[in-house]
PDB file of all heavy atoms in Angstrom:
ATOM      1  N   PHE M   1       0.812  -1.216   0.000  1.00 96.00           N
ATOM      2  CA  PHE M   1       0.000   0.000   0.000  1.00 96.00           C
ATOM      3  C   PHE M   1       0.849   1.272   0.000  1.00 96.00           C
ATOM      4  O   PHE M   1       0.445   2.287  -0.577  1.00 96.00           O
ATOM      5  CB  PHE M   1      -0.966  -0.007   1.182  1.00 96.00           C
ATOM      6  CG  PHE M   1      -2.172  -0.867   0.953  1.00 96.00           C
ATOM      7  CD1 PHE M   1      -2.379  -2.023   1.697  1.00 96.00           C
ATOM      8  CD2 PHE M   1      -3.095  -0.542  -0.031  1.00 96.00           C
ATOM      9  CE1 PHE M   1      -3.489  -2.830   1.470  1.00 96.00           C
ATOM     10  CE2 PHE M   1      -4.206  -1.340  -0.267  1.00 96.00           C
ATOM     11  CZ  PHE M   1      -4.406  -2.484   0.483  1.00 96.00           C
ATOM     12  N   ILE M   2       2.025   1.238   0.614  1.00 96.00           N
ATOM     13  CA  ILE M   2       2.932   2.396   0.553  1.00 96.00           C
ATOM     14  C   ILE M   2       3.350   2.647  -0.897  1.00 96.00           C
ATOM     15  O   ILE M   2       3.336   3.780  -1.387  1.00 96.00           O
ATOM     16  CB  ILE M   2       4.182   2.164   1.443  1.00 96.00           C
ATOM     17  CG1 ILE M   2       3.810   2.274   2.922  1.00 96.00           C
ATOM     18  CG2 ILE M   2       5.279   3.179   1.099  1.00 96.00           C
ATOM     19  CD1 ILE M   2       4.924   1.847   3.866  1.00 96.00           C
ATOM     20  N   THR M   3       3.697   1.560  -1.602  1.00 94.00           N
ATOM     21  CA  THR M   3       4.096   1.674  -3.012  1.00 94.00           C
ATOM     22  C   THR M   3       2.938   2.161  -3.871  1.00 94.00           C
ATOM     23  O   THR M   3       3.091   3.095  -4.673  1.00 94.00           O
ATOM     24  CB  THR M   3       4.595   0.320  -3.541  1.00 94.00           C
ATOM     25  OG1 THR M   3       5.614  -0.192  -2.683  1.00 94.00           O
ATOM     26  CG2 THR M   3       5.141   0.459  -4.950  1.00 94.00           C
ATOM     27  N   LEU M   4       1.786   1.537  -3.713  1.00 95.00           N
ATOM     28  CA  LEU M   4       0.610   1.896  -4.506  1.00 95.00           C
ATOM     29  C   LEU M   4       0.182   3.338  -4.237  1.00 95.00           C
ATOM     30  O   LEU M   4      -0.097   4.097  -5.181  1.00 95.00           O
ATOM     31  CB  LEU M   4      -0.547   0.938  -4.197  1.00 95.00           C
ATOM     32  CG  LEU M   4      -1.900   1.256  -4.848  1.00 95.00           C
ATOM     33  CD1 LEU M   4      -1.783   1.266  -6.366  1.00 95.00           C
ATOM     34  CD2 LEU M   4      -2.962   0.249  -4.393  1.00 95.00           C
ATOM     35  N   PHE M   5       0.143   3.728  -2.946  1.00 96.00           N
ATOM     36  CA  PHE M   5      -0.288   5.077  -2.587  1.00 96.00           C
ATOM     37  C   PHE M   5       0.660   6.129  -3.170  1.00 96.00           C
ATOM     38  O   PHE M   5       0.217   7.165  -3.668  1.00 96.00           O
ATOM     39  CB  PHE M   5      -0.347   5.205  -1.062  1.00 96.00           C
ATOM     40  CG  PHE M   5      -0.918   6.511  -0.584  1.00 96.00           C
ATOM     41  CD1 PHE M   5      -2.272   6.791  -0.723  1.00 96.00           C
ATOM     42  CD2 PHE M   5      -0.102   7.476  -0.009  1.00 96.00           C
ATOM     43  CE1 PHE M   5      -2.800   8.007  -0.292  1.00 96.00           C
ATOM     44  CE2 PHE M   5      -0.609   8.691   0.422  1.00 96.00           C
ATOM     45  CZ  PHE M   5      -1.970   8.952   0.286  1.00 96.00           C
ATOM     46  N   THR M   6       1.965   5.836  -3.134  1.00 94.00           N
ATOM     47  CA  THR M   6       2.941   6.765  -3.715  1.00 94.00           C
ATOM     48  C   THR M   6       2.713   6.914  -5.215  1.00 94.00           C
ATOM     49  O   THR M   6       2.775   8.021  -5.765  1.00 94.00           O
ATOM     50  CB  THR M   6       4.380   6.278  -3.462  1.00 94.00           C
ATOM     51  OG1 THR M   6       4.593   6.108  -2.061  1.00 94.00           O
ATOM     52  CG2 THR M   6       5.404   7.273  -4.002  1.00 94.00           C
ATOM     53  N   ALA M   7       2.456   5.793  -5.897  1.00 89.00           N
ATOM     54  CA  ALA M   7       2.207   5.829  -7.340  1.00 89.00           C
ATOM     55  C   ALA M   7       0.944   6.628  -7.660  1.00 89.00           C
ATOM     56  O   ALA M   7       0.915   7.400  -8.634  1.00 89.00           O
ATOM     57  CB  ALA M   7       2.092   4.408  -7.887  1.00 89.00           C
ATOM     58  N   ILE M   8      -0.094   6.460  -6.839  1.00 91.00           N
ATOM     59  CA  ILE M   8      -1.354   7.189  -7.057  1.00 91.00           C
ATOM     60  C   ILE M   8      -1.152   8.685  -6.847  1.00 91.00           C
ATOM     61  O   ILE M   8      -1.540   9.504  -7.690  1.00 91.00           O
ATOM     62  CB  ILE M   8      -2.456   6.655  -6.119  1.00 91.00           C
ATOM     63  CG1 ILE M   8      -2.847   5.227  -6.517  1.00 91.00           C
ATOM     64  CG2 ILE M   8      -3.681   7.562  -6.151  1.00 91.00           C
ATOM     65  CD1 ILE M   8      -3.771   4.541  -5.525  1.00 91.00           C
ATOM     66  N   ILE M   9      -0.536   9.049  -5.704  1.00 94.00           N
ATOM     67  CA  ILE M   9      -0.291  10.466  -5.413  1.00 94.00           C
ATOM     68  C   ILE M   9       0.600  11.084  -6.501  1.00 94.00           C
ATOM     69  O   ILE M   9       0.342  12.194  -6.980  1.00 94.00           O
ATOM     70  CB  ILE M   9       0.378  10.627  -4.030  1.00 94.00           C
ATOM     71  CG1 ILE M   9      -0.597  10.235  -2.917  1.00 94.00           C
ATOM     72  CG2 ILE M   9       0.859  12.065  -3.829  1.00 94.00           C
ATOM     73  CD1 ILE M   9      -1.834  11.101  -2.841  1.00 94.00           C
ATOM     74  N   GLY M  10       1.648  10.355  -6.891  1.00 88.00           N
ATOM     75  CA  GLY M  10       2.550  10.856  -7.919  1.00 88.00           C
ATOM     76  C   GLY M  10       1.856  11.100  -9.241  1.00 88.00           C
ATOM     77  O   GLY M  10       2.115  12.091  -9.936  1.00 88.00           O
ATOM     78  N   SER M  11       0.943  10.206  -9.601  1.00 85.00           N
ATOM     79  CA  SER M  11       0.259  10.308 -10.891  1.00 85.00           C
ATOM     80  C   SER M  11      -0.699  11.491 -10.949  1.00 85.00           C
ATOM     81  O   SER M  11      -0.895  12.082 -12.017  1.00 85.00           O
ATOM     82  CB  SER M  11      -0.507   9.012 -11.180  1.00 85.00           C
ATOM     83  OG  SER M  11       0.372   7.920 -11.285  1.00 85.00           O
ATOM     84  N   VAL M  12      -1.290  11.853  -9.815  1.00 87.00           N
ATOM     85  CA  VAL M  12      -2.309  12.908  -9.838  1.00 87.00           C
ATOM     86  C   VAL M  12      -1.834  14.236  -9.252  1.00 87.00           C
ATOM     87  O   VAL M  12      -2.441  15.285  -9.529  1.00 87.00           O
ATOM     88  CB  VAL M  12      -3.587  12.458  -9.086  1.00 87.00           C
ATOM     89  CG1 VAL M  12      -4.165  11.215  -9.718  1.00 87.00           C
ATOM     90  CG2 VAL M  12      -3.309  12.226  -7.598  1.00 87.00           C
ATOM     91  N   ALA M  13      -0.752  14.218  -8.465  1.00 90.00           N
ATOM     92  CA  ALA M  13      -0.354  15.436  -7.757  1.00 90.00           C
ATOM     93  C   ALA M  13       1.022  15.987  -8.139  1.00 90.00           C
ATOM     94  O   ALA M  13       1.273  17.176  -7.977  1.00 90.00           O
ATOM     95  CB  ALA M  13      -0.395  15.196  -6.238  1.00 90.00           C
ATOM     96  N   PHE M  14       1.929  15.120  -8.614  1.00 85.00           N
ATOM     97  CA  PHE M  14       3.258  15.611  -8.977  1.00 85.00           C
ATOM     98  C   PHE M  14       3.160  16.557 -10.167  1.00 85.00           C
ATOM     99  O   PHE M  14       2.327  16.379 -11.053  1.00 85.00           O
ATOM    100  CB  PHE M  14       4.194  14.455  -9.334  1.00 85.00           C
ATOM    101  CG  PHE M  14       4.632  13.642  -8.147  1.00 85.00           C
ATOM    102  CD1 PHE M  14       5.369  12.483  -8.336  1.00 85.00           C
ATOM    103  CD2 PHE M  14       4.319  14.025  -6.854  1.00 85.00           C
ATOM    104  CE1 PHE M  14       5.784  11.717  -7.252  1.00 85.00           C
ATOM    105  CE2 PHE M  14       4.726  13.270  -5.768  1.00 85.00           C
ATOM    106  CZ  PHE M  14       5.462  12.109  -5.966  1.00 85.00           C
ATOM    107  N   LYS M  15       4.047  17.556 -10.175  1.00 83.00           N
ATOM    108  CA  LYS M  15       4.043  18.545 -11.253  1.00 83.00           C
ATOM    109  C   LYS M  15       5.408  18.611 -11.919  1.00 83.00           C
ATOM    110  O   LYS M  15       6.401  18.146 -11.376  1.00 83.00           O
ATOM    111  CB  LYS M  15       3.651  19.917 -10.701  1.00 83.00           C
ATOM    112  CG  LYS M  15       2.233  19.964 -10.134  1.00 83.00           C
ATOM    113  CD  LYS M  15       1.887  21.335  -9.583  1.00 83.00           C
ATOM    114  CE  LYS M  15       0.466  21.359  -9.022  1.00 83.00           C
ATOM    115  NZ  LYS M  15       0.115  22.684  -8.469  1.00 83.00           N
ATOM    116  N   GLY M  16       5.430  19.235 -13.104  1.00 75.00           N
ATOM    117  CA  GLY M  16       6.686  19.378 -13.827  1.00 75.00           C
ATOM    118  C   GLY M  16       7.266  18.041 -14.224  1.00 75.00           C
ATOM    119  O   GLY M  16       6.542  17.093 -14.540  1.00 75.00           O
ATOM    120  N   PHE M  17       8.591  17.943 -14.184  1.00 71.00           N
ATOM    121  CA  PHE M  17       9.260  16.715 -14.596  1.00 71.00           C
ATOM    122  C   PHE M  17       8.850  15.527 -13.746  1.00 71.00           C
ATOM    123  O   PHE M  17       8.727  14.405 -14.235  1.00 71.00           O
ATOM    124  CB  PHE M  17      10.776  16.903 -14.535  1.00 71.00           C
ATOM    125  CG  PHE M  17      11.551  15.625 -14.697  1.00 71.00           C
ATOM    126  CD1 PHE M  17      11.513  14.926 -15.893  1.00 71.00           C
ATOM    127  CD2 PHE M  17      12.297  15.102 -13.657  1.00 71.00           C
ATOM    128  CE1 PHE M  17      12.204  13.734 -16.058  1.00 71.00           C
ATOM    129  CE2 PHE M  17      12.992  13.917 -13.806  1.00 71.00           C
ATOM    130  CZ  PHE M  17      12.952  13.230 -15.006  1.00 71.00           C
ATOM    131  N   PHE M  18       8.598  15.766 -12.448  1.00 80.00           N
ATOM    132  CA  PHE M  18       8.247  14.659 -11.553  1.00 80.00           C
ATOM    133  C   PHE M  18       6.940  13.982 -11.963  1.00 80.00           C
ATOM    134  O   PHE M  18       6.704  12.827 -11.629  1.00 80.00           O
ATOM    135  CB  PHE M  18       8.164  15.154 -10.103  1.00 80.00           C
ATOM    136  CG  PHE M  18       9.493  15.542  -9.522  1.00 80.00           C
ATOM    137  CD1 PHE M  18       9.840  16.879  -9.382  1.00 80.00           C
ATOM    138  CD2 PHE M  18      10.410  14.580  -9.156  1.00 80.00           C
ATOM    139  CE1 PHE M  18      11.082  17.242  -8.874  1.00 80.00           C
ATOM    140  CE2 PHE M  18      11.651  14.927  -8.650  1.00 80.00           C
ATOM    141  CZ  PHE M  18      11.992  16.260  -8.505  1.00 80.00           C
ATOM    142  N   SER M  19       6.106  14.713 -12.689  1.00 77.00           N
ATOM    143  CA  SER M  19       4.842  14.116 -13.147  1.00 77.00           C
ATOM    144  C   SER M  19       5.070  13.042 -14.199  1.00 77.00           C
ATOM    145  O   SER M  19       4.167  12.256 -14.493  1.00 77.00           O
ATOM    146  CB  SER M  19       3.922  15.199 -13.712  1.00 77.00           C
ATOM    147  OG  SER M  19       4.456  15.748 -14.912  1.00 77.00           O
ATOM    148  N   THR M  20       6.272  12.994 -14.770  1.00 71.00           N
ATOM    149  CA  THR M  20       6.582  11.987 -15.794  1.00 71.00           C
ATOM    150  C   THR M  20       7.223  10.737 -15.207  1.00 71.00           C
ATOM    151  O   THR M  20       7.401   9.751 -15.912  1.00 71.00           O
ATOM    152  CB  THR M  20       7.525  12.567 -16.871  1.00 71.00           C
ATOM    153  OG1 THR M  20       8.806  12.834 -16.278  1.00 71.00           O
ATOM    154  CG2 THR M  20       6.962  13.844 -17.469  1.00 71.00           C
ATOM    155  N   ILE M  21       7.604  10.773 -13.916  1.00 79.00           N
ATOM    156  CA  ILE M  21       8.299   9.616 -13.340  1.00 79.00           C
ATOM    157  C   ILE M  21       7.640   9.098 -12.053  1.00 79.00           C
ATOM    158  O   ILE M  21       8.335   8.685 -11.123  1.00 79.00           O
ATOM    159  CB  ILE M  21       9.791   9.929 -13.073  1.00 79.00           C
ATOM    160  CG1 ILE M  21       9.942  11.161 -12.161  1.00 79.00           C
ATOM    161  CG2 ILE M  21      10.546  10.111 -14.368  1.00 79.00           C
ATOM    162  CD1 ILE M  21      11.359  11.367 -11.656  1.00 79.00           C
ATOM    163  N   PRO M  22       6.305   9.086 -11.965  1.00 85.00           N
ATOM    164  CA  PRO M  22       5.685   8.579 -10.735  1.00 85.00           C
ATOM    165  C   PRO M  22       5.971   7.100 -10.490  1.00 85.00           C
ATOM    166  O   PRO M  22       6.059   6.664  -9.334  1.00 85.00           O
ATOM    167  CB  PRO M  22       4.187   8.824 -10.964  1.00 85.00           C
ATOM    168  CG  PRO M  22       4.034   8.842 -12.440  1.00 85.00           C
ATOM    169  CD  PRO M  22       5.292   9.491 -12.949  1.00 85.00           C
ATOM    170  N   ILE M  23       6.128   6.322 -11.567  1.00 83.00           N
ATOM    171  CA  ILE M  23       6.411   4.888 -11.423  1.00 83.00           C
ATOM    172  C   ILE M  23       7.790   4.690 -10.795  1.00 83.00           C
ATOM    173  O   ILE M  23       7.953   3.903  -9.838  1.00 83.00           O
ATOM    174  CB  ILE M  23       6.340   4.175 -12.791  1.00 83.00           C
ATOM    175  CG1 ILE M  23       4.937   4.299 -13.388  1.00 83.00           C
ATOM    176  CG2 ILE M  23       6.722   2.698 -12.637  1.00 83.00           C
ATOM    177  CD1 ILE M  23       3.831   3.735 -12.527  1.00 83.00           C
ATOM    178  N   LEU M  24       8.780   5.417 -11.300  1.00 85.00           N
ATOM    179  CA  LEU M  24      10.133   5.313 -10.752  1.00 85.00           C
ATOM    180  C   LEU M  24      10.162   5.732  -9.283  1.00 85.00           C
ATOM    181  O   LEU M  24      10.758   5.047  -8.436  1.00 85.00           O
ATOM    182  CB  LEU M  24      11.093   6.173 -11.569  1.00 85.00           C
ATOM    183  CG  LEU M  24      12.555   6.206 -11.088  1.00 85.00           C
ATOM    184  CD1 LEU M  24      13.174   4.816 -11.143  1.00 85.00           C
ATOM    185  CD2 LEU M  24      13.370   7.190 -11.925  1.00 85.00           C
ATOM    186  N   ILE M  25       9.505   6.844  -8.962  1.00 89.00           N
ATOM    187  CA  ILE M  25       9.499   7.337  -7.584  1.00 89.00           C
ATOM    188  C   ILE M  25       8.799   6.343  -6.653  1.00 89.00           C
ATOM    189  O   ILE M  25       9.258   6.085  -5.534  1.00 89.00           O
ATOM    190  CB  ILE M  25       8.823   8.721  -7.512  1.00 89.00           C
ATOM    191  CG1 ILE M  25       9.695   9.757  -8.240  1.00 89.00           C
ATOM    192  CG2 ILE M  25       8.607   9.153  -6.060  1.00 89.00           C
ATOM    193  CD1 ILE M  25       9.064  11.125  -8.369  1.00 89.00           C
ATOM    194  N   SER M  26       7.690   5.759  -7.105  1.00 89.00           N
ATOM    195  CA  SER M  26       6.970   4.802  -6.262  1.00 89.00           C
ATOM    196  C   SER M  26       7.802   3.540  -6.016  1.00 89.00           C
ATOM    197  O   SER M  26       7.749   2.960  -4.920  1.00 89.00           O
ATOM    198  CB  SER M  26       5.623   4.435  -6.893  1.00 89.00           C
ATOM    199  OG  SER M  26       5.796   3.770  -8.136  1.00 89.00           O
ATOM    200  N   ILE M  27       8.580   3.120  -7.022  1.00 89.00           N
ATOM    201  CA  ILE M  27       9.462   1.965  -6.839  1.00 89.00           C
ATOM    202  C   ILE M  27      10.524   2.282  -5.783  1.00 89.00           C
ATOM    203  O   ILE M  27      10.812   1.469  -4.897  1.00 89.00           O
ATOM    204  CB  ILE M  27      10.123   1.552  -8.170  1.00 89.00           C
ATOM    205  CG1 ILE M  27       9.086   0.945  -9.119  1.00 89.00           C
ATOM    206  CG2 ILE M  27      11.254   0.550  -7.928  1.00 89.00           C
ATOM    207  CD1 ILE M  27       9.623   0.630 -10.502  1.00 89.00           C
ATOM    208  N   VAL M  28      11.095   3.488  -5.856  1.00 91.00           N
ATOM    209  CA  VAL M  28      12.130   3.892  -4.894  1.00 91.00           C
ATOM    210  C   VAL M  28      11.551   3.948  -3.481  1.00 91.00           C
ATOM    211  O   VAL M  28      12.143   3.416  -2.531  1.00 91.00           O
ATOM    212  CB  VAL M  28      12.732   5.261  -5.288  1.00 91.00           C
ATOM    213  CG1 VAL M  28      13.653   5.784  -4.183  1.00 91.00           C
ATOM    214  CG2 VAL M  28      13.504   5.146  -6.598  1.00 91.00           C
ATOM    215  N   VAL M  29      10.394   4.579  -3.317  1.00 95.00           N
ATOM    216  CA  VAL M  29       9.766   4.696  -1.994  1.00 95.00           C
ATOM    217  C   VAL M  29       9.383   3.314  -1.464  1.00 95.00           C
ATOM    218  O   VAL M  29       9.620   2.993  -0.283  1.00 95.00           O
ATOM    219  CB  VAL M  29       8.523   5.613  -2.064  1.00 95.00           C
ATOM    220  CG1 VAL M  29       7.745   5.569  -0.742  1.00 95.00           C
ATOM    221  CG2 VAL M  29       8.932   7.042  -2.390  1.00 95.00           C
ATOM    222  N   GLY M  30       8.800   2.492  -2.324  1.00 95.00           N
ATOM    223  CA  GLY M  30       8.424   1.140  -1.911  1.00 95.00           C
ATOM    224  C   GLY M  30       9.641   0.304  -1.532  1.00 95.00           C
ATOM    225  O   GLY M  30       9.602  -0.471  -0.561  1.00 95.00           O
ATOM    226  N   TYR M  31      10.715   0.484  -2.285  1.00 94.00           N
ATOM    227  CA  TYR M  31      11.956  -0.252  -2.008  1.00 94.00           C
ATOM    228  C   TYR M  31      12.524   0.151  -0.640  1.00 94.00           C
ATOM    229  O   TYR M  31      12.961  -0.712   0.137  1.00 94.00           O
ATOM    230  CB  TYR M  31      12.973   0.039  -3.113  1.00 94.00           C
ATOM    231  CG  TYR M  31      14.208  -0.840  -3.079  1.00 94.00           C
ATOM    232  CD1 TYR M  31      14.191  -2.101  -3.666  1.00 94.00           C
ATOM    233  CD2 TYR M  31      15.382  -0.408  -2.482  1.00 94.00           C
ATOM    234  CE1 TYR M  31      15.322  -2.908  -3.656  1.00 94.00           C
ATOM    235  CE2 TYR M  31      16.517  -1.197  -2.457  1.00 94.00           C
ATOM    236  CZ  TYR M  31      16.482  -2.451  -3.048  1.00 94.00           C
ATOM    237  OH  TYR M  31      17.600  -3.250  -3.022  1.00 94.00           O
TER     238      TYR M  31
END
């Protein structure tokens, strides 16, 4: 759920360049 929640938040809330890498960020946070 930490990984999934990060991916969801990243997909809808991240802006700029970070909005293009929510999958990568969620993998890092989940890891």
